[in-house]
Amino acid sequence: MNYIIREATAVDMPQVLGLIKELALFEKEEHAVEVTVQDLVNDGFTAPKKFHCFVGVMEDETIVGMALVYPRYSTWKGPVIHLEDLIVTKKMRGSGMGSALLTAVVKYGYELGVRRICWEVLDWNEPAIRFYEDKGAKVMRDWDVVQLDEQGIHNFMNNL
């Protein structure tokens, strides 16, 4: 199967949102996606850009993979980027697209001069863990992800 990896455009965002929803379903969180196509367009393609996105595109312009990153700052390392999601449709897994998308992300980070690229992976997603470890990534199983969701933020503020 022939595909290319390229930087995403605003026109790609409906298909990117479809991939995001596909991932949410896979992760058993299908009702958690709140972002809209317009949010993605506004946040990724108007200044200041909040993220950078790469897409894997088939010859017929169907987007079957994506990787979305954004800048962070580590107090230990300095500038880093966070890989929010790397998604490849089920039919394209094993095609090399995941590797190609990760390569695009690493090249992008290298060009920016970041000192680390970080991301999370679910502890039950063994195929993804093996994929990342095979690429040389260190899966830090002794760290827990901590989040305040929108309601948690409101509760926090209301308790000040």
Side-chain angles (χ1 to χ4, degrees):
M1 292 188 224
N2 292 333
Y3 60 84
I4 63 163
I5 304 299
R6 63 168 170 77
E7 293 188 7
T9 67
V11 174
D12 297 327
M13 292 304 101
Q15 289 187 76
V16 166
L17 182 57
L19 288 171
I20 292 167
K21 289 179 178 180
E22 182 178 327
L23 177 64
L25 182 64
F26 173 76
E27 293 182 349
K28 301 170 182 59
E29 293 284 342
E30 58 268 18
H31 302 294
V33 177
E34 297 176 9
V35 71
T36 66
V37 169
Q38 194 59 53
D39 292 333
L40 292 169
V41 170
N42 291 343
D43 295 340
F45 302 93
T46 60
K49 285 180 57 171
K50 294 184 176 120
F51 67 82
H52 193 84
C53 186
F54 298 93
V55 289
V57 185
M58 301 301 291
E59 290 176 342
D60 67 357
E61 295 300 312
T62 302
I63 295 173
V64 291
M66 60 83 78
L68 188 144
V69 299
Y70 58 88
R72 288 176 55 181
Y73 193 86
S74 165
T75 56
W76 290 3
K77 301 293 182 186
V80 302
I81 56 173
H82 182 84
L83 173 58
E84 180 64 18
D85 282 319
L86 191 155
I87 306 167
V88 175
T89 60
K90 189 173 183 176
K91 74 175 185 170
M92 289 300 292
R93 290 183 195 141
S95 70
M97 182 173 287
S99 293
L101 284 164
L102 186 58
T103 297
V105 167
V106 174
K107 284 181 178 179
Y108 177 72
Y110 180 80
E111 290 166 4
L112 291 177
V114 300
R115 296 191 181 133
R116 182 172 67 207
I117 301 169
C118 53
W119 63 94
E120 287 94 30
V121 61
L122 290 168
D123 62 358
W124 53 262
N125 192 347
E126 286 299 327
I129 291 169
R130 281 192 305 277
F131 170 77
Y132 294 132
E133 287 177 335
D134 287 348
K135 300 295 181 195
K138 179 171 61 171
V139 177
M140 302 171 69
R141 297 175 190 265
D142 53 342
W143 286 72
D144 291 325
V145 175
V146 180
Q147 297 179 337
L148 268 176
D149 63 10
E150 188 174 14
Q151 186 59 53
I153 294 167
H154 289 290
N155 292 347
F156 186 98
M157 294 304 295
N158 288 335
N159 290 322
L160 291 179

